[in-house]
Amino acid sequence: MGKIRTRNQHQAEFVKCIQKFGGKYQTWEIFADFISMFACAISNGIDRVHFKPREEMYMQIIRKYTNEEQAIFPEMMGHVINGMEENRDCDFLGELYMALDLGSHWKGQFFTPYNVCECMAGITINDNVQTLEKQEWISVNDPACGAGATLVAAANIFHRKKINYQTRVLFTANDIDRVVAQMCYIPVSYTHLTLPT
């Protein structure tokens, strides 16, 4: 793995964690496994109905790593959480994904920069605030969600407008790639579970 250009210290530390595996696995494999396990961990803390199959998936992934390697994953999780907490106005995982050159041009994976997502979300929300004032809730849908930057940007704009997106907004996300759909699930869940102060 050559020099990876990251935007902040938490992303740089995440890359160092991947480097601790010493080239034993492909970067894509480590990243995809991390994302799957992180998504399982979040979901199993909330959804008890599907707990068992997710836990089995988590255990199937983690077993292929040594004890020393397994200990790296919580460290990676900490860098993601701290990075998202430090700067809610970013696409932490999407930026990492692209910096690590994991995007697939065959699947059209050219993630929209966060500031563009924020601009689009701002225009859309501003145009529909009156609708929301007349309804109990509104839906926001991203049919090609990638790592969820547009949905995170929308949540941040709703918050700035004093609209409680946890109770008044239904976020829907779809993607053709399972890993990026799980990448979207992580920041959107985090954003939904923790309102900024």
Side-chain angles (χ1 to χ4, degrees):
M1 182 183 300
K3 175 81 171 147
I4 306 295
R5 296 186 64 188
T6 55
R7 293 180 57 123
N8 63 57
Q9 187 59 35
H10 295 293
Q11 289 174 336
E13 292 300 321
F14 185 97
V15 171
K16 287 178 187 175
C17 287
I18 289 179
Q19 292 168 338
K20 289 180 184 179
F21 288 90
K24 184 176 174 184
Y25 310 93
Q26 294 291 320
T27 301
W28 164 254
E29 183 179 9
I30 297 166
F31 190 87
D33 286 347
F34 167 75
I35 293 297
S36 290
M37 290 189 293
F38 197 174
C40 282
I42 292 171
S43 192
N44 273 355
I46 302 164
D47 175 17
R48 306 308 283 175
V49 173
H50 301 100
F51 182 92
K52 189 174 179 182
R54 275 197 217 95
E55 190 66 13
E56 288 171 2
M57 180 175 25
Y58 182 100
M59 294 309 295
Q60 182 179 1
I61 294 168
I62 199 73
R63 278 190 202 108
K64 74 180 177 185
Y65 296 97
T66 66
N67 290 341
E68 293 78 18
E69 292 165 345
Q70 289 176 15
I72 300 169
F73 289 107
E75 187 179 345
M76 293 164 71
M77 189 182 297
H79 293 305
V80 172
I81 291 169
N82 289 333
M84 290 189 302
E85 183 64 30
E86 190 173 286
N87 181 12
R88 289 175 173 268
D89 283 307
C90 75
D91 181 13
F92 189 92
L93 289 171
E95 290 171 2
L96 262 175
Y97 189 76
M98 298 312 275
L100 291 166
D101 200 26
L102 299 176
S104 167
H105 70 278
W106 299 107
K107 294 178 181 175
Q109 291 177 334
F110 303 100
F111 291 178
T112 307
Y114 183 84
N115 60 340
V116 175
C117 294
E118 186 176 42
C119 178
M120 292 187 304
I123 291 168
T124 303
I125 291 167
N126 285 337
D127 289 349
N128 290 286
V129 166
Q130 289 178 341
T131 302
L132 184 56
E133 289 170 356
K134 297 173 188 171
Q135 297 175 198
E136 284 188 44
W137 61 276
I138 192 170
S139 63
V140 176
N141 181 20
D142 189 346
C145 64
T150 300
L151 299 177
V152 170
N156 289 333
I157 290 168
F158 280 124
H159 178 70
R160 286 186 205 114
K161 292 187 172 294
K162 309 288 190 238
I163 296 168
N164 186 337
Y165 57 79
Q166 291 177 322
T167 59
R168 300 200 57 209
V169 183
L170 171 66
F171 290 91
T172 306
N174 297 292
D175 204 284
I176 60 171
D177 185 308
R178 179 181 178 175
V179 172
V180 299
Q182 289 174 324
M183 283 168 58
C184 176
Y185 177 73
I186 292 166
V188 171
S189 295
Y190 176 79
T191 300
H192 245 55
L193 295 171
T194 59
L195 273 170
T197 55

